[in-house]
């Protein structure tokens, strides 16, 4: 369940994300690749990484947890090269006050499924 259902229904609209970010984060240069947390298996990336099917294919990423107000699920469904990518969309605002703990059970289940898929 989303804490912001109006933001997650229908076609997402792009809010002014800069209003949600602290000033110092606006000056950071994003990395071309997501950070590798568990070698060859678990990565942490940003919205740009998550919207680049060729990058996900190159890194053999098959499961994406998208914790934003923009649902990217249809991006993967419409691209035959990345149709194998499964997306779990967690509709939340990118703010320090956001309580992501409410979604941990769903995310853990999704990651366990990814582990099962990769070992089978």
């Amino acid at each position: 369940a989303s804490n912001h259902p109006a933001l997650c229904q229908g076609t997402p609209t792009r809010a002014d994300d800069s209003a949600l970010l602290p000033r110092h984060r606006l000056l950071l240069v994003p990395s071309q690749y997501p950070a590798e947390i568990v070698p060859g298996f678990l990565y942490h990336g940003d919205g740009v990484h998550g919207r680049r099917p060729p990058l996900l294919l190159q890194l053999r990423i098959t499961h994406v947890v998208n914790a934003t107000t923009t649902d990217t699920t249809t991006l993967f469904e419409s691209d035959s090269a990345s149709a194998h990518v499964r997306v779990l969309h967690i509709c939340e605002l990118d703010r320090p006050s956001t309580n992501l703990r409410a979604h941990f059970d769903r995310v853990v289940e999704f990651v366990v499924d990814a582990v099962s898929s990769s070992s089978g």
Side-chain angles (χ1 to χ4, degrees):
S2 168
N3 292 332
H4 311 285
L7 292 174
C8 299
Q9 294 175 352
T11 305
T13 56
R14 179 134 175 99
D16 179 11
D17 291 340
S18 64
L20 304 177
L21 299 173
R23 278 278 192 229
H24 66 279
R25 283 190 57 197
L26 295 176
L27 302 176
L28 295 177
V29 177
S31 172
Q32 181 178 354
Y33 294 97
E36 192 170 24
I37 307 300
V38 176
F41 178 72
L42 185 64
Y43 297 85
H44 178 266
D46 60 20
V48 173
H49 301 133
R51 288 189 300 269
R52 291 181 54 205
L55 174 65
L56 301 179
L57 189 61
Q58 174 189 352
L59 296 174
R60 297 185 180 141
I61 293 173
T62 59
H63 290 66
V64 172
V65 177
N66 173 8
T68 66
T69 57
T70 304
D71 186 354
T72 58
T73 307
T74 57
L75 173 68
F76 299 101
E77 292 170 351
S78 63
D79 180 4
S80 61
S82 62
H84 70 284
V85 176
R86 293 192 50 214
V87 179
L88 172 62
H89 180 228
I90 305 293
C91 183
E92 291 290 352
L93 292 171
D94 185 9
R95 292 191 173 160
S97 61
T98 299
N99 179 9
L100 292 175
R101 281 179 256 164
H103 305 285
F104 278 7
D105 289 342
R106 285 179 52 212
V107 172
V108 167
E109 186 177 316
F110 189 73
V111 171
V112 167
D113 180 58
V115 171
S116 298
S117 298
S118 69
S119 63

